[in-house]
Amino acid sequence: MAVATVDAEKQAALAELGQQLRVDAIRAADAAGSGHPTSSMSAADLMAVLLGNHLRYDFTATQNPGNDHLIFSKGHASPLLYAMFAAAGAIADDELLTFRRAGSRLEGHPTPQLPWVDVATGSLGQGLPIGVGLALAGRDLDQLGYRVWVLCGDSELAEGSMWEAFEHAGHARLDNLVAIVDVNRLGQRGPTRHGWDTAAYARRIAAFGWHTIEIDGHDVGEIDRAYTEALGSDRPTAILARTRKGKGVAAVEDKEGAHGKPLPDADEAIRELGGRRAIRVEVNAPDGNAAPPRPDTASLRIPAYEQGSEVATRTAFGEALEALGGVRSDVVALDGEVSDSTRLGYFARSHPERFFQCYIAEQQLVAAAVGMQVRGWVPYVSTFAAFLSRAYDFLRMAAISGASLRVVGSHAGVSIGEDGPSQMGLEDLAFFRALWRSAVLYPCDANQTAHLTAAIADRSGISYLRTTRGDTPVLYGPEETFPIGGSKVLRSSPGDRLTIVAAGITVPEALAAADRLAADGIAARVIDAYSVKPIDAATLHEAAADTGRVLTVEDHWPQGGLGDAVLDAFTQATSMPRVAKLGVLALPGSASPQEQLQHAGIDASAVVDGARALLSE
Amino acid sequence: MAVATVDAEKQAALAELGQQLRVDAIRAADAAGSGHPTSSMSAADLMAVLLGNHLRYDFTATQNPGNDHLIFSKGHASPLLYAMFAAAGAIADDELLTFRRAGSRLEGHPTPQLPWVDVATGSLGQGLPIGVGLALAGRDLDQLGYRVWVLCGDSELAEGSMWEAFEHAGHARLDNLVAIVDVNRLGQRGPTRHGWDTAAYARRIAAFGWHTIEIDGHDVGEIDRAYTEALGSDRPTAILARTRKGKGVAAVEDKEGAHGKPLPDADEAIRELGGRRAIRVEVNAPDGNAAPPRPDTASLRIPAYEQGSEVATRTAFGEALEALGGVRSDVVALDGEVSDSTRLGYFARSHPERFFQCYIAEQQLVAAAVGMQVRGWVPYVSTFAAFLSRAYDFLRMAAISGASLRVVGSHAGVSIGEDGPSQMGLEDLAFFRALWRSAVLYPCDANQTAHLTAAIADRSGISYLRTTRGDTPVLYGPEETFPIGGSKVLRSSPGDRLTIVAAGITVPEALAAADRLAADGIAARVIDAYSVKPIDAATLHEAAADTGRVLTVEDHWPQGGLGDAVLDAFTQATSMPRVAKLGVLALPGSASPQEQLQHAGIDASAVVDGARALLSE
């Protein structure tokens, strides 16, 4: 749908709206005593024209599937966003002035506490990659006509993640995506690399297959024509808008040292901008088309594995997800170009229309999933556990967004064998545990893995599933259940003298150790703590009360993983057992999987030694 | 220096060398039973011409400052790298066949266990950004003529970090840097986005200010001319080389499904390639020029702060680093475009020649530091603690490299106040603790910060220093010492009934809590655990033995930080105290710093309540 070019009268009205957005951004920051008004003022005209003439959004029905999506990738321009919400009548002026106060929804950087905000931003370089995910959802999953508008800063174009987004969107020809770049030439501490050289940005972005338009970002006519042109393009469009930071107020306009501060004299600034206005914008309504019906889900037959056989948990994950995709049409899968190894490829072969190849770009991989879950899709993201560290800031922000993601990291720990430390996830339990409201699951066998793969589909927040490369024995029957937050007691007797807590690859080692200890007359309880977070504190407390001594063993550095989770569980207990931890002690090199476990000090022999040492104290 | 174009005889010799490299890569992978021979075979001619005609490297004197640097950004092509070392006489054929065996230096992916390897690679997209750091060191710090050659894969061009590198190097006009891209069109699980469309890559890279050359990567003459042209360019050069994965062996050449596996029939493949050869390459010697003398370091006068005054630890860090830079000319500083906030700007104003602005590109920021420390420079990297999560994979790999980095994260925790969760480092203690051989330091006052800033200069490995935004009271005198691994007992009496362990911003809260408890007749020991890793286990053990109860309090999620570190310390003790943890309990919004501490449940009142609860159990 082409939008007619605005006439002079409408242009004047939009310019006035831009001034109102500036004034209100200044007022909000002034009331707060902090914030980023100058970064808001540069983009005010861009947003005035968008809000007043191109955005299609029903502020009274945020769940309308036809609504456009607007993401402030430069989240620090939140005063501008909130001023837009005020102009649209979504928030009252009183609330605008609660900006940055304790208890206010109007946080320093936008979060989905506000119903019109899809995702939290404020860590730069994330809004555009998330917008790519929304645009993919709109075109390929929802198949709706909504558009995704992303307001970007020029500084954040230095982030590699932006170029992952340009590459993905350009190659996928996402014509429903528009990046609006506010080229105000000033970063936080001084000038950007390219200043007002919008051609430098346009050259780079065009090389990635985008349509680019360079404009004066304070000329509402040019802005309007650019949006119209963007909507008519068969490719994603980047609008490079030359703007002036602090535009309209001489004391701060295009001045260094004015970043992230209220204006020195807000009253004077408001006068300079022509005073307060009371413009109320009638935002265009979205198209009436509804989301395609998602068929009812059939009941899942979780793949079953024969007890006593040997199956890699990565394989069970792949097969379970493929089955899940067959009964739930809202499940989607995203790969970081390793689907042959992670076994995400099984989903791809059965459900290619819901499989997204993100290539080796882990930030875009996670961001695309964040974007898709905004629209209610149920994404599973998978790559090697080690490489998820590449996307940690995106996972951190996804947690702040309250996003529901299922993240599956394969090739965990030293047990991968010969490939060496660069490919070994040895920090993943720690960094996923430290995410707000995360679950961390580390199954030891195929049936457990299949159950947990299905269980996380309906969990909100970030659910991490850690899988193992090599085949491991199937310990549980297919009918067993594995609640998140639970554990399994695999060996138990009244005479247990210590408890061994293991997860994943170390469970079979712990069982072998328990057998050897039993042969020497030492009874050991063995707990499979497949749910590392939340951990099954009750079972651990009982075991500690019974045995008084706890030995943890994990294929991970000793910091932040299973051992720390077990110790933490005892901070809630009425008494502390003696605890000893086994984890990877030295930097691994290349070796066979079993040699690796031995060198790391986490194989059955190490568990036996650790148990004896703990008992001798 | 221009290198003459090779004649036909030399061309034939180089082609033969290429075949030898293929054969030896195949032999190594065959002996190992795993590895990436096909990814090696595609780049064999590129590396043969480099080794035989352009690389200047003294394999017998790896510390020769004039040596070129060669980085395999596509680290999985390690069989090719090791075959090059064999051809240069650096390793014997026997050792080549130890590839991927336990105890061998020839790991699945290269690490600096080998003296000719600068940095560990294997997580894709890291070699080029590190190469940028080396090239910056060569031109701007060492001021030597060495060149930096980086062998890249085509798949890894999807990583945003590569584009951070292209942007940094292009803008800085690093003419001593050459990226050799092995465009073999096949990733791990199938075709890349752009296949053999080298023009697509060249367009993108040229847009970032690089010189680009497209060649047939199996034509030694073309390769040689490209290198010569690259060396004559006044800009960084990217050579886009069309190659065939598995080149030279029909069973695998340009075939999917042959990634990361030994060849199906190595003997047949070697026959197809013309059999084994015994070519020994005389590698060109480096220029004789030596590194510029680094003046002796003067003795440091650490900035001193008056006890009882209030100073932000970020300020003390900035002033201490500025002073350190004045007496040590090997100290360099790298900023992620927030030097006004982190106070790294103080270093910049005094030592601009050793200050590197990396803009908002945290991966390149860390990678540049990794590159510089290869050449013996002492880098300090700084940005907000939250944004260091963006570079976590780079930090992980730097740890595997054994790199010595000092990383300073400012704006830690909820105490930053109104900016909200996106800007708050709440995971950093967890993710830095989980790095191999890291130190994690979290000072509470200015004098402590200044001392620790200086102390980490000579520490090997990754040293993390966490600083606070707001002013905090100066608790210690300027003459106090703060060894890494130490702690400070701030309150102690024979009648102590519990121990409060705090660090950073929570130390003043713990002291205030102890005062309030004392007023109620409850004596509490207070420990400032400024060294979170290694933690001062002895002092904690003593306190636990004396008081039996330990309360930890930290401005961080409860997972993986100070509380877990304290718990871990007791795994080495002969008895476990009762431990309770206070950490950030709910997702913060905007609020003032003191409101944030209160809402998070980590202010003095919360400590008092926590202490009472612990004592009542």
Side-chain angles (χ1 to χ4, degrees), chain B residues 127-219:
Chain B
L128 188 64
I130 293 169
V132 169
L134 264 163
L136 285 166
R139 189 189 65 180
D140 298 341
L141 295 169
D142 288 329
Q143 298 173 11
L144 291 173
Y146 59 75
R147 302 150 186 163
V148 181
W149 308 88
V150 183
L151 178 66
C152 305
D154 47 355
S155 286
E156 67 177 328
L157 292 179
E159 284 285 8
S161 56
M162 298 295 275
W163 301 93
E164 295 181 11
F166 285 124
E167 178 71 309
H168 197 121
H171 194 257
R173 296 187 82 91
L174 292 174
D175 60 3
N176 53 349
L177 178 63
V178 183
I180 306 159
V181 187
D182 177 22
V183 185
N184 66 23
R185 95 167 182 88
L186 288 175
Q188 172 174 323
R189 51 119 280 302
T192 59
R193 263 198 189 99
H194 299 294
W196 276 317
D197 185 0
T198 52
Y201 296 119
R203 254 194 326 272
R204 287 160 171 75
I205 298 169
F208 283 82
W210 285 53
H211 179 53
T212 59
I213 310 172
E214 296 170 60
I215 61 167
D216 172 349
H218 299 306
D219 180 322

Side-chain angles (χ1 to χ4, degrees), chain B residues 346-361:
Chain B
Y346 300 161
F347 185 97
R349 70 185 171 196
S350 293
H351 316 292
E353 75 290 357
R354 283 177 278 137
F355 176 80
F356 294 86
Q357 182 52 261
C358 297
Y359 298 91
I360 306 180

Side-chain angles (χ1 to χ4, degrees), chain B residues 24-43:
Chain B
D24 285 350
I26 291 167
R27 291 174 60 232
D30 192 60
S34 66
H36 297 78
T38 59
S39 303
S40 298
M41 294 158 77
S42 55

Side-chain angles (χ1 to χ4, degrees), chain B residues 493-523:
Chain B
S493 76
D496 289 341
R497 292 176 56 197
L498 86 160
T499 301
I500 304 169
V501 185
I505 191 78
T506 61
V507 171
E509 303 296 328
L511 290 173
D515 291 344
R516 288 195 222 167
L517 289 165
D520 286 352
I522 300 171

Side-chain angles (χ1 to χ4, degrees), chain A residues 100 108-109 122 124 159-160 164 167 188-189 194 337 340-341 362-363 390 393 419 423 568 581 590, chain B residues 100 108-109 122 124 159-160 164 167 188-189 194 337 341 362-363 390 393 419 423 568 577 581 590:
Chain A
R100 285 175 165 250
H109 295 77
L124 291 169
E159 284 286 7
E164 295 181 12
E167 178 70 310
Q188 172 173 323
R189 49 114 289 298
H194 299 294
E337 223 274 278
D340 52 336
S341 291
E362 292 82 7
Q363 297 182 94
R390 197 61 155 267
D393 195 27
D419 270 326
Q423 317 294 299
D568 181 66
K581 286 161 67 174
S590 285
Chain B
R100 286 175 163 249
H109 296 77
L124 290 169
E159 284 285 8
E164 295 181 11
E167 178 71 309
Q188 172 174 323
R189 51 119 280 302
H194 299 294
E337 222 274 280
S341 291
E362 293 81 6
Q363 297 182 95
R390 197 64 154 266
D393 195 28
D419 270 326
Q423 316 294 300
D568 181 66
K581 287 161 67 174
S590 285

Side-chain angles (χ1 to χ4, degrees), chain A residues 139-156:
Chain A
R139 189 189 65 181
D140 298 340
L141 297 169
D142 289 327
Q143 299 173 10
L144 291 172
Y146 60 74
R147 302 151 187 162
V148 181
W149 308 87
V150 184
L151 178 66
C152 307
D154 47 353
S155 287
E156 67 178 327

